[in-house]
Amino acid sequence: MAEALISSITEKVVEWFCGLAKEEISFICNCSENVKKYKHEVEKLSSMKGRVQQHIDLARSKGEVLLEGVEEWMKKADDYTSNATQFTNGEEQEKCFHLCTLRRCSKTATEKTKSLQKHQDEGKSFESCVSLPAQAPRFTDLYQRKNLDDIDTQKSILEEIIRAIEDDTIQIVGINGLGGVGKTTLASEVAKEIKNQFADIVFVTVSKTVDVKVIQEKVRDVASRIKNREKVLIILDDVWEELTLHDLGIPCGREYMNCKILLTSRSRDVCAAMNAQKNISVNPLRKEEAWTLFERVVGKSEWDDRLKEVALAIVKECGGLPLFIQVVGKALKDKEIKIWEAALRRLQAPMDGDVSYKKEGILQLKLSYDHLEDEVVKSLFLLCSMFPEDGNIGLKRLTHYGFALGIFNNPDSIHDTKDIVQLAVDSLKSSFLLLNAVIVISSVESRLQQEEEEEEFKMHDLVRDMALFNTFKGDDKFLVKSGKGLREWQPRSDVIKSYKKISLMENKICKLPDYELDLPYLDTFLIQRNKLSIVPDEFFRGMKELKVLDMGGNNISSLPQSLTQLTMLRLLDLSGNRSLCEISLLGGCHVLRF
């Protein structure tokens, strides 16, 4: 029994020693091959590291957040490749042909090869994804504070609003006042001032035409946070009628006092109807405050007697409304006194046409438009009015429209055109005729759309009214019914015959007239983001001068035959029509550019 046990143990020991000897002999015999395999794995890791680095560079350029472990993996990969260089060029490699070091060299190469292979396996996922999409900046991160020094009317209102929001017994706060008095600015200032008190702040522009689904989409994420007892502020800007917060998807009431609502409206009654526990009226600036703001806009503090007399009279015509003071002041900045005097005469003179435009401040705003010296800037400004009220306007889309309409002076490329439009937009922003857009990324689709547009901006609704007023007369007449909630459009040809541009974008139109429309001057027709499935064959036959046709974002399944008659067409947008598969007739549209 003992002998058998000893024999078994001896046999296993011998077997172990033989295996070990075989392994050691293998290291010696296969040294060159093992080193070669090691070098190959080093090259593979180096290539993989390069591909991952490209993904990292792209992610960082987009401001995205790198996945946990990516940077650590890259550091280890650097260490591995650095050690490989030392190994292959060092003493170990040099002595690889000496018998005493063959085993050690081969074994080291084999072990390092396994480590390299393991590290590559750990990094495979990084070849396809190294980051998470960057969180869209909140509008409070983008908003720049206004200088309210010596503007006590607005400073005191700002403090009153903040006290109301910080009051635990108050959930809904209303801000009411005239258009252009600064309600939106005050709401933005409040959000910037108290942003650290809330887990999230959402800014939603409501506008005259209420789109409940859009609002629900914008507040969907914060609604979940509210239900999770996080503290959230929702700003509903430019409310024109009573809204039911529950229908908008906003949790509120005693059960959700962690949700604060800030409303802005031109009507005190609307705020009251929406149960604002605190209803704060914003009054126009006092005479001294209006003058202080005007001086800041025009960049002057020293005046000669005559110019100051004219300036004071101009400020008086602005009625203490900051929007008008800024727009008029910017238009007159650095101009000669005769220009100021002419502006004053226009502001004081009766206005032709509908007197309501005088009441709504169209005259003050039109003064700034008339002082735009570049006709390209003026044309782009009017194009912006074709977008829905309070809607965002994309730089890329505006560039393509302008290029197709030929409003630029023979640019060499679309890239040159983009630079021209960027300068124009910057000029209009500096004149307070365009504003930075409030970007609310509520879905992957809207995020992609925003990235595609590159930059977005918007118009104050009063500025847009002024722009549309400019399109009522003359040879370049616009018909703008965008974002009005229309379900059908059945115009009379004799009524719309003189129009050059028609915008019906962002409605709910599912049917167009099944007869030919006589529109001999029309060069732009925008009907994107409706519910069209069919466009009648004869619809475009009377639009011989059409250059821009945007039908994107519908559900069109086939194209009308009359499309082939549009020989002047330079831009046709059919994106988002997922049912559209047959586009062979576009072969006849030889002038298309996009």
Side-chain angles (χ1 to χ4, degrees):
M1 184 74 177
E3 290 179 357
L5 179 61
I6 292 172
S7 176
S8 175
I9 292 174
T10 302
E11 184 179 341
K12 289 183 178 179
V13 170
V14 171
E15 183 181 343
W16 180 79
F17 272 112
C18 288
L20 182 61
K22 186 184 294 186
E23 183 181 13
E24 296 300 314
I25 293 171
S26 175
F27 283 137
I28 295 172
C29 295
N30 298 317
C31 179
S32 296
E33 184 180 347
N34 289 340
V35 171
K36 185 178 180 180
K37 287 181 179 178
Y38 173 60
K39 288 182 177 180
H40 179 62
E41 292 301 325
V42 170
E43 291 174 357
K44 285 173 60 179
L45 178 60
S46 181
S47 297
M48 183 178 185
K49 183 166 71 77
R51 292 191 295 273
V52 174
Q53 184 64 53
Q54 288 178 331
H55 288 302
I56 290 174
D57 292 342
L58 181 60
R60 282 176 171 159
S61 71
K62 294 180 178 180
E64 295 181 342
V65 181
L66 295 182
L67 292 174
E68 185 177 353
V70 174
E71 292 178 299
E72 182 181 354
W73 185 90
M74 287 292 290
K75 185 177 183 303
K76 284 186 177 180
D78 285 335
D79 292 341
Y80 280 130
T81 54
S82 177
N83 291 338
T85 302
Q86 294 176 11
F87 174 75
T88 55
N89 295 332
E91 291 184 4
E92 296 278 63
Q93 180 67 6
E94 290 176 3
K95 296 177 181 178
C96 234
F97 296 102
H98 295 281
L99 186 61
C100 61
T101 58
L102 279 174
R103 172 195 158 278
R104 184 172 59 181
C105 179
S106 181
K107 185 176 182 179
T108 301
T110 301
E111 291 172 349
K112 287 180 177 291
T113 297
K114 291 179 180 179
S115 297
L116 291 175
Q117 290 171 337
K118 181 182 178 183
H119 196 62
Q120 289 176 74
D121 289 340
E122 291 172 347
K124 279 183 179 179
S125 62
F126 298 145
E127 288 194 282
S128 58
C129 179
V130 298
S131 62
L132 295 173
Q135 183 179 1
R138 299 195 300 182
F139 87 96
T140 51
D141 299 324
L142 303 175
Y143 178 77
Q144 295 183 347
R145 297 292 300 267
K146 300 295 186 292
N147 182 4
L148 298 182
D149 292 343
D150 300 319
I151 313 292
D152 293 334
T153 296
Q154 293 202 337
K155 284 180 68 176
S156 61
I157 292 293
L158 177 62
E159 293 168 358
E160 185 178 1
I161 297 169
I162 292 174
R163 285 196 301 271
I165 290 176
E166 291 177 338
D167 190 330
D168 292 337
T169 66
I170 295 176
Q171 181 172 53
I172 303 176
V173 179
I175 309 174
N176 64 82
L178 294 171
V181 78
K183 302 181 295 297
T184 300
T185 297
L186 284 168
S188 301
E189 289 286 325
V190 168
K192 189 79 170 184
E193 180 74 22
I194 62 177
K195 65 178 182 179
N196 294 330
Q197 298 182 31
F198 292 90
D200 203 355
I201 298 178
V202 176
F203 192 106
V204 181
T205 302
V206 178
S207 192
K208 288 182 183 178
T209 305
V210 181
D211 192 325
V212 173
K213 289 185 178 179
V214 169
I215 297 175
Q216 290 173 339
E217 179 71 15
K218 290 180 178 179
V219 303
R220 182 182 58 190
D221 291 341
V222 293
S224 299
R225 303 185 73 172
I226 293 169
K227 292 177 181 177
N228 289 332
R229 301 301 168 188
E230 294 184 71
K231 195 173 181 181
V232 170
L233 172 63
I234 297 177
I235 300 174
L236 298 178
D237 185 46
D238 198 21
V239 180
W240 286 76
E241 60 186 59
E242 179 184 354
L243 303 173
T244 303
L245 296 177
H246 176 75
D247 293 342
L248 300 179
I250 301 176
C252 58
R254 292 183 180 179
E255 186 179 353
Y256 297 107
M257 291 300 289
N258 55 307
C259 173
K260 297 283 187 172
I261 310 292
L262 180 60
L263 311 172
T264 78
S265 176
R266 297 187 189 183
S267 169
R268 184 179 181 85
D269 292 341
V270 168
C271 294
M274 293 186 64
N275 300 315
Q277 291 103 329
K278 186 71 174 180
N279 207 346
I280 301 170
S281 297
V282 182
N283 295 317
L285 302 182
R286 297 195 300 269
K287 180 180 178 181
E288 300 81 8
E289 296 169 335
W291 177 249
T292 297
L293 178 59
F294 185 78
E295 280 192 315
R296 286 177 186 162
V297 174
V298 299
K300 289 180 69 68
S301 58
E302 297 181 2
W303 304 79
D304 62 60
D305 292 342
R306 176 54 187 158
L307 184 58
K308 185 171 183 178
E309 180 183 353
V310 174
L312 285 169
I314 288 173
V315 172
K316 181 180 178 181
E317 290 298 321
C318 292
L321 298 179
L323 174 64
F324 297 167
I325 294 169
Q326 290 172 322
V327 170
V328 172
K330 187 64 179 180
L332 297 176
K333 184 177 180 179
D334 299 327
K335 297 292 193 300
E336 298 177 7
I337 188 171
K338 63 181 181 180
I339 303 296
W340 290 60
E341 291 172 336
L344 178 60
R345 288 193 295 271
R346 286 190 57 188
L347 289 171
Q348 291 177 334
M351 189 174 183
D352 295 334
D354 192 342
V355 294
S356 65
Y357 286 108
K358 175 77 172 180
K359 180 180 178 182
E360 293 295 333
I362 296 296
L363 190 56
Q364 289 87 339
L365 298 175
K366 191 174 185 301
L367 182 69
S368 183
Y369 169 79
D370 290 340
H371 277 78
L372 294 173
E373 297 176 354
D374 192 322
E375 290 302 318
V376 169
V377 176
K378 284 186 172 183
S379 297
L380 290 172
F381 173 74
L382 295 181
L383 280 179
C384 289
S385 70
M386 300 185 74
F387 290 79
E389 180 180 312
D390 291 318
N392 290 352
I393 304 162
L395 178 72
K396 185 175 182 179
R397 188 168 296 273
L398 185 63
T399 300
H400 285 179
Y401 287 173
F403 188 78
L405 289 169
I407 67 175
F408 308 109
N409 295 322
N410 299 318
D412 293 331
S413 68
I414 189 67
H415 300 291
D416 295 332
T417 302
K418 179 186 170 185
D419 293 339
I420 295 171
V421 176
Q422 182 69 70
L423 290 172
V425 169
D426 291 344
S427 173
L428 290 168
K429 284 182 180 179
S430 70
S431 299
F432 301 98
L433 294 176
L434 288 180
L435 307 170
N436 290 321
V438 176
I439 306 297
V440 180
I441 306 297
S442 53
S443 65
V444 173
E445 182 178 352
S446 58
R447 177 184 176 82
L448 291 174
Q449 178 186 333
Q450 195 272 331
E451 289 179 350
E452 176 73 11
E453 287 293 358
E454 299 175 356
E455 179 185 341
E456 293 187 338
F457 36 90
K458 61 186 295 186
M459 278 182 158
H460 189 286
D461 53 358
L462 287 179
V463 174
R464 182 173 180 269
D465 288 345
M466 178 271 289
L468 292 176
F469 175 72
N470 277 281
T471 69
F472 287 163
K473 300 177 181 180
D475 297 330
D476 201 15
K477 293 178 66 176
F478 290 24
L479 174 65
V480 179
K481 298 291 183 181
S482 53
K484 294 290 187 181
L486 302 179
R487 295 186 178 275
E488 63 176 18
W489 187 60
Q490 300 290 329
R492 286 172 44 192
S493 288
D494 58 329
V495 174
I496 64 171
K497 184 175 183 178
S498 60
Y499 286 102
K500 287 195 71 172
K501 293 175 175 61
I502 294 177
S503 176
L504 303 171
M505 69 170 80
E506 296 189 29
N507 282 291
K508 300 175 183 178
I509 298 172
C510 57
K511 183 180 180 181
L512 290 173
D514 57 0
Y515 49 85
E516 177 183 333
L517 292 176
D518 184 19
L519 293 163
Y521 312 109
L522 193 71
D523 62 21
T524 304
F525 188 72
L526 310 178
I527 195 165
Q528 65 266 38
R529 299 180 196 166
N530 276 275
K531 297 183 179 297
L532 292 176
S533 58
I534 297 175
V535 179
D537 277 339
E538 301 299 312
F539 185 72
F540 294 115
R541 197 171 299 279
M543 307 180 189
K544 305 293 187 184
E545 296 297 315
L546 199 61
K547 295 179 179 178
V548 174
L549 175 56
D550 196 335
M551 298 193 292
N554 284 282
N555 193 34
I556 298 170
S557 56
S558 62
L559 299 177
Q561 290 296 321
S562 56
L563 203 59
T564 60
Q565 304 293 315
L566 305 180
T567 58
M568 299 299 293
L569 196 61
R570 301 181 73 191
L571 184 152
L572 173 62
D573 191 338
L574 297 170
S575 61
N577 288 283
R578 298 178 181 177
S579 301
L580 183 62
C581 54
E582 176 54 55
I583 58 172
S584 58
L585 63 79
L586 291 181
C589 301
H590 300 298
V591 194
L592 280 177
R593 293 290 186 91
F594 302 102

